[in-house]
Amino acid sequence: MRNLSITAEEFSRTLDSSFAPVTIAVAVSGGADSMALLLLLKERNIPLHALSVDHGLRAESASEAAQVAAWCKALDIAHTTLHWRHGDIGSGLPEKAREARYALMFEWCRTHGIRHLLTAHHRDDQVETFLLRLLRGSGIEGLSGILPVSERQGIFLHRPLLAFSKERLIATLKAQNQQWIEDPSNRDMRYSRNALRQSLDVLMDEDARQQISQLTIFFQKFRNLLESKLSESINLCLSTGETAPLLIHSLFMAQPPELKTRMLHHICKDVGKHYQPIRSEKILRLLGSIETGTGKHMLGGAVFYYRPRLSAWEITRAKPLAAKADIAQNNTLKQRTINAQ
């Protein structure tokens, strides 16, 4: 039988050399993916600090975090468990849990002077992400899939396992007799990714998965080419206003259509702090509104307000919902005080 475990040489080719001499943080849930990443990094003798997040969503979460801590101790790897404190979460649990997880890890990294965080996203995650975004009508930004390296809030996110399948990660663990934790939420068919994963296990063979993986690399290269042109267009069209950036209407409208949509996506990410790809139809709807040169529009946390006197769009960051809730609560308290008087 062919040995599917990942070799040290294969893994070394996927690593970014920029963090080699410094301590790096590694997201470790205890699942097969992150445990395989931990073992592969350990073999490279890179200074590591493992981070686990106890979401407090299942009764077993605390004991699972403790198990990861025990495995890390046996491997002589530093480990910290971070805790998500939350009330009623409501809808959108996977997205909210993911954002909370990253927020906790980013904050820990900043506090400890660590700029590089590694996650265990792998080839099959990439295939699922591409298909989900394709079904949702994503453009080049979304179809580029999970990037090997990206930057968020001053922390560099590295995903060195994107070239390797889940099967190979599990084979790597078995070769070293390393156990892992199975998360039962991964089998919950209420979530679209889990439902897609189960379908792909039946419908898609290894060759098809590899072709999609290569397709995301093509889109990433095309995306990088557009990024260079995008910087030129942004420098031309975006100026510094008295209180907020200004998008010069006439210069913006003179740009090619693809660059205009990418500029809007970039602005939403930069000003609105929206790091997930925005659906193409939403960007196109915003573009249609901007073309009229009137009104006030919001997308991805960025607010576009047309200033006729300047012939430009003033761009500000939308107030967080929490801030609006605080304002509403303060107004209620003030009203109660007035009534009491």
Side-chain angles (χ1 to χ4, degrees):
M1 179 181 292
R2 184 167 64 97
N3 181 14
L4 293 174
S5 60
I6 300 167
T7 66
E9 292 74 21
E10 285 180 294
F11 182 63
S12 295
R13 289 195 293 268
T14 71
L15 286 176
D16 189 315
S17 60
S18 63
F19 57 71
V22 298
T23 297
I24 58 174
V26 189
V28 184
S29 66
D33 313 340
S34 58
M35 289 305 300
L37 175 60
L38 196 66
L39 290 185
L40 290 164
L41 288 168
K42 175 67 177 177
E43 289 180 347
R44 286 289 309 274
N45 294 318
I46 298 173
L48 305 175
H49 197 112
L51 298 177
S52 300
V53 176
D54 178 359
H55 295 86
L57 297 172
R58 294 184 291 109
E60 306 85 1
S61 61
S63 61
E64 289 173 354
Q67 177 62 77
V68 175
W71 284 332
C72 287
K73 184 177 182 180
L75 293 167
D76 195 25
I77 295 172
H79 175 271
T80 298
T81 298
L82 306 172
H83 299 272
W84 183 25
R85 309 299 184 187
H86 55 82
D88 182 34
I89 297 171
S91 61
L93 175 60
E95 293 78 12
K96 291 176 182 176
R98 181 182 64 245
E99 288 305 311
R101 182 164 60 250
Y102 278 116
L104 287 167
M105 291 191 293
F106 289 160
E107 180 61 27
W108 187 93
C109 287
R110 284 191 295 268
T111 300
H112 292 81
I114 293 176
R115 299 194 64 202
H116 302 276
L117 172 65
L118 275 65
T119 68
H121 292 94
H122 51 79
R123 197 275 315 271
D124 297 337
D125 291 327
Q126 183 74 289
V127 170
E128 293 163 11
T129 298
F130 176 87
L131 292 173
L132 284 170
R133 291 179 179 177
L134 181 66
L135 292 171
R136 292 170 182 168
S138 292
I140 292 172
E141 187 81 23
L143 297 181
S144 297
I146 306 168
L147 301 179
V149 183
S150 61
E151 184 270 336
R152 284 181 61 178
Q153 302 177 31
I155 305 297
F156 290 95
L157 275 170
H158 302 260
R159 296 103 173 174
L161 298 181
L162 289 176
F164 306 111
S165 67
K166 175 91 170 191
E167 183 183 21
R168 297 201 64 192
L169 300 183
I170 291 176
T172 301
L173 292 174
K174 290 181 176 179
Q176 299 192 41
N177 296 315
Q178 174 62 56
Q179 295 178 307
W180 66 90
I181 297 167
E182 292 286 354
D183 185 348
S185 64
N186 290 333
R187 297 189 295 272
D188 191 334
M189 292 301 107
R190 291 176 297 175
Y191 303 132
S192 55
R193 182 177 287 271
N194 292 346
L196 176 64
R197 182 179 300 129
Q198 184 165 320
S199 298
L200 293 182
D201 288 342
V202 177
L203 299 174
M204 187 168 288
D205 61 14
E206 174 66 19
D207 288 342
R209 291 173 188 265
Q210 192 60 31
Q211 287 172 8
I212 290 178
S213 177
Q214 291 299 314
L215 190 56
T216 62
I217 295 174
F218 166 79
F219 277 113
Q220 288 171 14
K221 291 179 179 178
F222 189 28
R223 175 183 179 274
N224 292 339
L225 178 62
L226 285 175
E227 285 293 329
S228 62
K229 296 295 182 183
L230 179 65
S231 297
E232 298 174 9
S233 297
I234 288 176
N235 290 336
L236 175 67
C237 301
L238 208 62
S239 66
T240 303
E242 292 181 3
T243 59
L246 294 172
L247 183 66
I248 308 304
H249 187 77
S250 59
L251 295 177
F252 174 76
M253 294 310 302
Q255 302 305 305
E258 179 58 38
L259 279 181
K260 285 191 286 191
T261 57
R262 289 197 54 80
M263 283 178 67
L264 292 178
H265 193 284
H266 179 88
I267 290 169
C268 290
K269 182 170 68 173
D270 188 49
V271 178
K273 307 303 179 185
H274 187 94
Y275 298 105
Q276 296 299 317
I278 301 173
R279 295 185 184 183
S280 298
E281 65 266 21
K282 292 184 177 181
I283 291 286
L284 291 173
R285 193 156 52 239
L286 174 62
L287 176 59
S289 300
I290 287 177
E291 287 174 342
T292 66
T294 57
K296 182 178 181 180
H297 312 279
M298 185 173 72
L299 180 63
V303 178
F304 297 76
Y305 184 72
Y306 189 65
R307 300 289 188 185
R309 183 176 61 84
L310 302 173
S311 296
W313 290 86
E314 185 178 71
I315 309 163
T316 58
R317 186 180 181 186
K319 292 182 179 180
L321 291 177
K324 293 181 180 179
D326 289 342
I327 292 170
Q329 184 178 19
N330 289 338
N331 289 339
T332 300
L333 292 174
K334 289 178 182 177
Q335 187 62 46
R336 287 176 180 171
T337 303
I338 292 171
N339 292 340
Q341 293 172 348

